[in-house]
Amino acid sequence: MEQRVGVWLIGARGGVATTLIAGTFAIRKGLAGTHGVITETAGFRDLRLTPFGGLVFGGHDVRRVSLRESAAQIYRENGTIRHEILTAIGDDLDRADRDVRPGVLFRSGRAIESLDGVDTSLRAADPAAAVTRLADDIANFKKAHGLVHVVVVNLASTEPALAPDPEHVSAGGIERLLARKEGAPLIASTLYALAAARAGCAYINFTPSPGAFLPGVVEIMGRAGIPFFGSDGKTGETLVKSALAPLFKYRNLRVLSWQGYNLLGDRDGQVLADAENKSTKVASKDNLLHEFLGYPLHSRVEIDYVPSLNDFKTAWDFIHFQGFLDVKMSMQFTWQGCDSILAAPLVLDLVRMAALSLERGEAGPLTHLAIFFKNPLGAPGHDLHAQFHRLLGYVQSHSS
Amino acid sequence: MEQRVGVWLIGARGGVATTLIAGTFAIRKGLAGTHGVITETAGFRDLRLTPFGGLVFGGHDVRRVSLRESAAQIYRENGTIRHEILTAIGDDLDRADRDVRPGVLFRSGRAIESLDGVDTSLRAADPAAAVTRLADDIANFKKAHGLVHVVVVNLASTEPALAPDPEHVSAGGIERLLARKEGAPLIASTLYALAAARAGCAYINFTPSPGAFLPGVVEIMGRAGIPFFGSDGKTGETLVKSALAPLFKYRNLRVLSWQGYNLLGDRDGQVLADAENKSTKVASKDNLLHEFLGYPLHSRVEIDYVPSLNDFKTAWDFIHFQGFLDVKMSMQFTWQGCDSILAAPLVLDLVRMAALSLERGEAGPLTHLAIFFKNPLGAPGHDLHAQFHRLLGYVQSHSS
Amino acid sequence: MEQRVGVWLIGARGGVATTLIAGTFAIRKGLAGTHGVITETAGFRDLRLTPFGGLVFGGHDVRRVSLRESAAQIYRENGTIRHEILTAIGDDLDRADRDVRPGVLFRSGRAIESLDGVDTSLRAADPAAAVTRLADDIANFKKAHGLVHVVVVNLASTEPALAPDPEHVSAGGIERLLARKEGAPLIASTLYALAAARAGCAYINFTPSPGAFLPGVVEIMGRAGIPFFGSDGKTGETLVKSALAPLFKYRNLRVLSWQGYNLLGDRDGQVLADAENKSTKVASKDNLLHEFLGYPLHSRVEIDYVPSLNDFKTAWDFIHFQGFLDVKMSMQFTWQGCDSILAAPLVLDLVRMAALSLERGEAGPLTHLAIFFKNPLGAPGHDLHAQFHRLLGYVQSHSS
Amino acid sequence: MEQRVGVWLIGARGGVATTLIAGTFAIRKGLAGTHGVITETAGFRDLRLTPFGGLVFGGHDVRRVSLRESAAQIYRENGTIRHEILTAIGDDLDRADRDVRPGVLFRSGRAIESLDGVDTSLRAADPAAAVTRLADDIANFKKAHGLVHVVVVNLASTEPALAPDPEHVSAGGIERLLARKEGAPLIASTLYALAAARAGCAYINFTPSPGAFLPGVVEIMGRAGIPFFGSDGKTGETLVKSALAPLFKYRNLRVLSWQGYNLLGDRDGQVLADAENKSTKVASKDNLLHEFLGYPLHSRVEIDYVPSLNDFKTAWDFIHFQGFLDVKMSMQFTWQGCDSILAAPLVLDLVRMAALSLERGEAGPLTHLAIFFKNPLGAPGHDLHAQFHRLLGYVQSHSS
């Protein structure tokens, strides 16, 4: 029998997680294609990846809602999980829902805590105890389903910024902070990352949340010998930026201004409407241009909550540039993509690639996965093409 | 003293040629920067390229207008050659204008022949004699200025299609056709290419005109031992396409439809308003997507003449694509660029690179220059990134 | 008991008709709101209009498909008729479907005849007989349901152009042509219009098809004393044009060029992909600007078939204009609307208003309805605001 | 001899003022057309308006720069005043410059005070004395040039908000505040408005600055018997809004969200980059939608400073709306206009119309000029069409 791999999702009933779980069930039943899943393209054919049928889902969430209800809401608001699919996979969703455990709130901030359905009783008084509970949940899941590997993916809402603390920089410091209880300058995403390390799982930070890769946490992950990577999935406007910025560089066209306006209406948009949380995200989105182009330019990334859009993000970018004879010209684009639909298949790819790393005994940052992230950990550079070839190189050298 | 290189432009008083000549003079006088010129970027620093001061301009044209008048018209219509520059370089333009000789009309078609100022007495009765005259013009220019090399660049208006003929496929066939006089199934761009080969110059086909690279002409160029390349400079909408198409490929997002509408108002637009000439151009622009993506998709490239835009092209592209769960999404962009301003610096790059090839004794198609063209001769593939790295590779291996 | 009004739709199983029938049922059941229906706004409150519950549907169609299947296809392709609605109104659709009778094909052209499901046996050999059959169908419908009035609305695909004929200009001429059988220079839309007149119904031409308002047909309608109006519902890009053109006029900004590109993927798009049919439509769309602005300008209306869009039309317009000091500026817009969703409520409005005219004994062209059409018959001018106030004026003078 | 009218501009060397003065001189010399000037259209032919040759320019400014330098900067940065015009009208500009007097700074805020060239010694210690000085300047100008009327137009940068004060509501209160010297809760735009009233001029507030139409100031203007109007010229994005919003209203399409992003790079943009000043402007721009549509909707108006654009504003608006069957659709537009070029001719129109009112002895708010403003004083409603017809009505009843 085939080895089965666990997919443990932080934010398991959110839009991306629900879409990816529902999508996997739909693919298994032949009700949907595999567009968007990179590991389904020809280049990955000879890699020994877990088939869709071998993935088992579970996770943590702080909201009281079932997966089936979450999927039904997505159908109503976005239509992306079609009605026939909803009907066909309802029982599968209910079964997966039994493996979703209560998550944890810790400095999660007003925006997240006031989301519809959030169980504020999950505020942790003792972070160390919370890590233990979270790690036990994962271990129990692994055992109950007889899983060979588990990949933990953080898909939860963007947290507010965490003020720097001298103790953040070492494993010892993190452990001392854990012991400090309620006042500790830690944040929920740190606790989840530590739980993954404790449970010996791979860890993928698909959000921009700052707590997962504090230097001390990275040190702990290193000691645990787990593979890990992030942060912040590159799904939409930033993806387009990373494809277009090279054009201006290759042609020696000087970018004068690059303004980006992101309109989104989902839970993500609602959380990012809060200035605390937005700052975390904007910083993550605005890095690319200056680093890639190598000169200062006027740029702005704005994120606006437009509820009526639901999950269909609309982004408008305006690029003002200068060419020969110093003539100014411009380009503008509008991106209309569904965030969950763009993100979900990437998570499937990351899970499969991380499971492969677990199987091969690889540990540390999975830098060959840089193409998936806005801020690839320890893999500087934002050249989409270079990132693609880096991934292809890994794939070719590991194909059987 | 530095070696001087001749730049022989077919269509020497057209928009691109005038812009590039005026721009070079402006750069020499410190009145303009070098944005858009790729060979001015850091990566090319160690290549022994001809400095701007070492370029000497001449060429052929079928229109009766002076370079100074052409530059003044560009100032009035587009403002891209600024008034101060126009004043400062007027004498230089007049001097260069003395090296512009009458070109040739041969099956050039109604659209070109009815352009303002075209001297229809330049219709050639005897193509062989025309090649000799054109080649002599170039040879005289080379001698008069004591030039070490001459690069010929075709910047003339897009010609109508040339019906295939069995004699096109060999050098012997081309020579037999030349002898046939007026009825010969040849076209002006063939005559210019043959003249360049005869004069031992490098030859760059920056237009989509079909006559330059007939197999028989390529054979003749090969025998002449000259370096050559083309066709159709990649300056605007197609450039953006070649930067964006990889995004969809890398992410396994299925492109359903890609519609592109190009609005332009310059002489190029006027010629392309003629169905005969448009077909040549559209074929050149529409290749990329199907080849690059590797599957059939609904696509269209439309070119419309909008006189009020003059040289400021406006292109709108709409891309409809499908992702996870078969959800359809879309992207659209508007490109507002000045065609001559985008093309002129690329021609300077091509001249410098071709002169380097002449200096190094390289012959045949200069495939490392694929990034400059919509249809790179003998260098299949349209991946902008791959093309950039190919060019960088050449540069690095030839840097001193 | 309330008076019931018959809605007889030519093209009864097409996208607009199915949407409007399904939508009316959904509104009746409280499953959808009434956005888009103008007669539901406050200004119409005191007019004695037929309530949604008093409308009875029937019609002609040349395609073999049921209303339920048509609605299911709309759900699958566009999602605009939601699944819950589809389920709730299935039986109502089946009931209405029993009142759909076979239509007629007469010079309908290759594009229409090759649509999926078209019953080519409906090609009429004898146009006079066809008119009789069509009129009988309507009369039977009226009688069977005990309807006080019937409004006939042509929603069928755009026909090819009909070559002018001297007999078109008088009632007698039309009657002579009818007698000529197969070779007669008439077209299906003429036959439907004559049938409506024969049956004493109001007639609304929501398509641009040219046959309904030939002068001779208008004369016949006049003699029949029926109210009638059209042509070509103003639903999308043209609607935006008619709202924006006044801006340029009021501000004395000179429009230099107005280019409009319409991408659509429904059956309408498929028919319009045929050059014969497209010319009918483009002529209808391009009138407005020149007439309204009162000076010549460069303009173009292009319609492209992009199947993947289905009924979600995407139109891009580029407007180039000149202001003070002769400075050129531009505006562009992208309209992303669902054609059937935009058209269906207007048809409901037209039916209610035409039924009111029948009730009040009004005959002839209903010029107060000009706001609904691209080419309002006998109501020159395209000023959206003026049209709105004309409609309001009628409403106010007829409110009880 | 013809009567001559004085045009006294607050902000006389700013972009709009320089453009309008230069433009008037260019028109007089036959170097430019009159696009954008509404009073030059046919409908105004029979009104006795001051010809361009009868306008004499002067004004106040707080910046040390000459009109000629300001025009040269506009040529360099925007190209909208062409070089030939600059050369031809240089002497006229110098002559007009002699009639520009030092303005006044009073609570003008950090953004305005830190503009390039601002003479901070113009900060007034005694507002009453400042009003006297400003009024004397205008009176001297009138006398020196033998002018029959003077129209004062405020074109200065948008001021920060002024905190409400109980004394603002009456003429007496304003007079008491003037006496309070430096601490007085007044603002420069109040002082200019009072000076205009004192000098018996018409007063037009083309900016959104809040000080001109405090109730007490309006009372004083009323007593002075002068005609006056404003505020905030409707030139670009808001103009488009006021043309498009009716479309949604007329069609009963429910606007869910309307997001507007304005990118501008001129001095106006620089001042509005300051949060204090931006709030004044955004409030002015965002009123229209809610008032006109009559229901709450999600909307946002954002103004961003993008220096490289200079005076070429680029605005992107996204409109999300709901139609039949509650289906969501969208429209987006990009407006690329030059603010000064759009504003200057409107100021000429306002001057001519206000001079006519002076000539006819009209006093109080000139509500027939509502079409020119974002916030027409005492003329509620934002329907562009209604405003146009109101203006036409006035014109027709006053045509000779």
Side-chain angles (χ1 to χ4, degrees), chain A residues 101-351:
Chain A
R101 303 258 73 85
V104 69
L105 293 167
F106 200 78
R107 288 185 185 270
S108 300
R110 61 188 174 226
I112 290 175
E113 298 205 355
S114 59
L115 285 176
D116 216 42
V118 165
D119 179 356
T120 51
S121 77
L122 295 173
R123 282 194 207 111
D126 177 344
V131 172
T132 303
R133 172 172 70 81
L134 300 171
D136 287 352
D137 287 341
I138 303 172
N140 291 338
F141 168 70
K142 188 172 177 180
K143 195 168 153 197
H145 291 279
L147 306 168
V148 59
H149 303 300
V150 174
V151 180
V152 177
V153 187
N154 190 343
L155 297 173
S157 298
T158 302
E159 291 173 336
L162 177 65
D165 189 286
E167 292 286 43
H168 287 163
V169 302
S170 68
I174 295 293
E175 275 148 19
R176 279 189 294 275
L177 291 181
L178 279 175
R180 266 209 228 158
K181 310 264 158 115
E182 254 179 280
L186 292 171
I187 196 160
S189 60
T190 306
L191 309 188
Y192 288 119
L194 293 172
R198 182 87 58 85
C201 304
Y203 188 79
I204 301 294
N205 191 32
F206 204 75
T207 80
S209 292
F213 296 140
L214 299 173
V217 178
V218 171
E219 191 184 337
I220 291 170
M221 287 177 168
R223 283 193 203 155
I226 62 164
F228 55 90
F229 208 57
S231 296
D232 204 7
K234 184 158 72 174
T235 55
E237 186 227 9
T238 310
L239 176 66
V240 181
K241 265 186 185 154
S242 74
L244 279 178
L247 181 160
F248 296 97
K249 187 173 188 175
Y250 294 174
R251 284 292 195 241
N252 194 18
L253 297 167
R254 172 89 182 205
V255 178
L256 302 168
S257 307
W258 193 312
Q259 303 282 115
Y261 300 89
N262 295 270
L263 282 50
L264 64 173
D266 51 8
R267 216 169 290 115
D268 206 21
Q270 199 182 337
V271 168
L272 293 173
D274 193 298
E276 271 185 21
N277 307 55
K278 190 192 282 196
S279 66
T280 304
K281 185 75 179 183
V282 167
S284 173
K285 286 175 76 76
D286 203 20
N287 279 338
L288 183 146
L289 286 175
H290 301 77
E291 277 183 42
F292 182 74
L293 294 172
Y295 51 82
L297 67 149
H298 182 94
S299 76
R300 176 154 185 208
V301 175
E302 180 64 21
I303 303 176
D304 273 357
Y305 180 46
V306 178
S308 62
L309 284 170
N310 296 326
D311 205 28
F312 275 89
K313 180 158 82 173
T314 296
W316 180 73
D317 274 40
F318 176 78
I319 307 147
H320 204 206
F321 62 95
Q322 198 165 27
F324 198 57
L325 280 169
D326 306 322
V327 172
K328 292 177 181 179
M329 295 168 280
S330 70
M331 178 181 173
Q332 56 188 285
F333 68 81
T334 301
W335 172 264
Q336 294 173 296
C338 180
D339 262 12
S340 297
I341 288 297
L342 290 162
L346 301 185
V347 176
L348 285 174
D349 286 325
L350 288 162
V351 163

Side-chain angles (χ1 to χ4, degrees), chain B residues 77 256-257 259 261-263 278 298 300 302-310 314-316 318 320 328 330 332 334 336, chain C residues 77 256-257 259 261-263 278 298 300 302-310 314-316 318 320 328 330 332 334 336:
Chain B
E77 293 183 352
L256 302 168
S257 308
Q259 303 282 114
Y261 299 90
N262 295 268
L263 282 49
K278 191 192 281 195
H298 182 94
R300 176 155 185 208
E302 179 65 20
I303 302 177
D304 272 358
Y305 180 47
V306 179
S308 63
L309 284 170
N310 295 326
T314 297
W316 179 73
F318 177 77
H320 205 204
K328 291 177 182 178
S330 70
Q332 57 189 284
T334 301
Q336 294 173 297
Chain C
E77 293 183 354
L256 302 168
S257 308
Q259 303 281 116
Y261 300 90
N262 295 270
L263 282 49
K278 191 193 281 195
H298 182 94
R300 178 158 182 203
E302 179 65 21
I303 302 177
D304 273 358
Y305 180 46
V306 178
S308 62
L309 285 170
N310 296 326
T314 296
W316 179 73
F318 176 78
H320 204 204
K328 291 177 182 179
S330 70
Q332 55 189 284
T334 301
Q336 294 173 297

Side-chain angles (χ1 to χ4, degrees), chain C residues 86-148:
Chain C
L86 202 60
T87 308
I89 66 170
D91 294 344
D92 302 272
L93 291 176
D94 288 346
R95 222 166 296 122
D97 207 41
R98 281 178 226 135
D99 283 307
V100 181
R101 305 256 72 82
V104 70
L105 293 167
F106 199 79
R107 290 185 185 269
S108 299
R110 62 189 173 226
I112 289 174
E113 297 204 355
S114 60
L115 285 176
D116 217 42
V118 165
D119 179 356
T120 51
S121 76
L122 295 173
R123 281 195 207 109
D126 177 344
V131 171
T132 304
R133 173 172 69 80
L134 298 172
D136 287 350
D137 287 341
I138 303 173
N140 291 338
F141 168 68
K142 188 171 177 180
K143 195 169 153 194
H145 290 280
L147 305 169
V148 59

Side-chain angles (χ1 to χ4, degrees), chain B residues 5-37:
Chain B
V5 165
V7 184
W8 189 265
L9 305 169
I10 316 301
R13 286 140 172 176
V16 176
T18 304
T19 300
L20 103 81
I21 295 171
T24 305
F25 291 148
I27 292 169
R28 280 188 200 165
K29 288 189 198 293
L31 296 171
T34 59
H35 294 309
V37 186

Side-chain angles (χ1 to χ4, degrees), chain B residues 58-375:
Chain B
H60 285 118
D61 207 305
V62 295
R63 287 168 62 240
R64 286 193 217 90
V65 64
S66 73
L67 265 174
R68 193 196 273 256
E69 286 158 8
S70 174
Q73 189 188 0
I74 290 172
Y75 161 70
R76 279 195 310 275
E77 293 183 352
N78 304 296
T80 50
I81 301 180
R82 294 198 311 278
H83 193 274
E84 311 81 83
I85 290 177
L86 201 60
T87 306
I89 67 170
D91 294 344
D92 302 272
L93 291 175
D94 288 346
R95 222 168 294 124
D97 207 40
R98 282 178 225 134
D99 284 307
V100 181
R101 306 257 70 86
V104 70
L105 292 167
F106 200 79
R107 289 184 186 268
S108 299
R110 62 188 173 226
I112 289 175
E113 297 204 356
S114 59
L115 284 176
D116 215 42
V118 165
D119 178 357
T120 51
S121 77
L122 295 173
R123 282 193 206 111
D126 178 344
V131 171
T132 303
R133 174 173 70 81
L134 299 171
D136 287 351
D137 287 341
I138 304 174
N140 291 339
F141 168 68
K142 188 172 178 180
K143 197 170 150 195
H145 290 279
L147 305 168
V148 60
H149 302 299
V150 174
V151 179
V152 177
V153 187
N154 191 344
L155 297 172
S157 298
T158 302
E159 292 173 336
L162 177 65
D165 188 285
E167 293 286 43
H168 287 163
V169 302
S170 70
I174 296 292
E175 274 147 20
R176 278 188 295 276
L177 291 181
L178 279 174
R180 265 207 231 159
K181 308 263 156 120
E182 256 179 276
L186 292 171
I187 197 159
S189 60
T190 306
L191 309 187
Y192 288 118
L194 293 173
R198 182 87 58 84
C201 305
Y203 188 77
I204 301 293
N205 191 32
F206 203 76
T207 80
S209 291
F213 296 138
L214 299 173
V217 178
V218 170
E219 191 184 334
I220 290 170
M221 286 177 167
R223 283 193 203 155
I226 61 164
F228 54 90
F229 208 57
S231 297
D232 205 6
K234 183 158 72 173
T235 56
E237 186 227 9
T238 311
L239 177 67
V240 181
K241 264 185 185 156
S242 73
L244 280 179
L247 181 161
F248 297 98
K249 188 172 188 175
Y250 295 173
R251 284 293 195 242
N252 194 17
L253 296 167
R254 173 87 182 205
V255 177
L256 302 168
S257 308
W258 193 313
Q259 303 282 114
Y261 299 90
N262 295 268
L263 282 49
L264 66 172
D266 52 8
R267 215 168 291 114
D268 206 22
Q270 200 182 336
V271 168
L272 294 173
D274 193 299
E276 271 186 20
N277 307 54
K278 191 192 281 195
S279 66
T280 304
K281 185 75 180 184
V282 167
S284 174
K285 287 177 75 77
D286 203 19
N287 280 338
L288 183 146
L289 286 175
H290 302 77
E291 277 183 42
F292 181 75
L293 294 173
Y295 52 83
L297 67 150
H298 182 94
S299 77
R300 176 155 185 208
V301 175
E302 179 65 20
I303 302 177
D304 272 358
Y305 180 47
V306 179
S308 63
L309 284 170
N310 295 326
D311 205 28
F312 276 89
K313 180 158 81 173
T314 297
W316 179 73
D317 274 41
F318 177 77
I319 307 147
H320 205 204
F321 62 95
Q322 198 165 26
F324 197 58
L325 279 168
D326 305 322
V327 172
K328 291 177 182 178
M329 295 168 280
S330 70
M331 177 179 173
Q332 57 189 284
F333 68 82
T334 301
W335 172 264
Q336 294 173 297
C338 180
D339 262 11
S340 297
I341 288 297
L342 291 162
L346 301 184
V347 175
L348 285 174
D349 288 324
L350 288 162
V351 164
R352 291 171 133 191
M353 295 302 289
L356 183 71
S357 289
L358 283 167
E359 181 67 22
R360 303 180 48 86
E362 294 169 4
L366 303 175
T367 51
H368 57 283
L369 302 179
I371 196 172
F372 293 95
F373 294 100
K374 292 197 191 76
N375 287 297

Side-chain angles (χ1 to χ4, degrees), chain D residues 176-200:
Chain D
R176 279 187 293 277
L177 292 180
L178 279 174
R180 265 208 231 158
K181 308 264 155 120
E182 255 179 278
L186 292 171
I187 197 159
S189 59
T190 306
L191 309 188
Y192 287 119
L194 293 173
R198 181 88 56 88

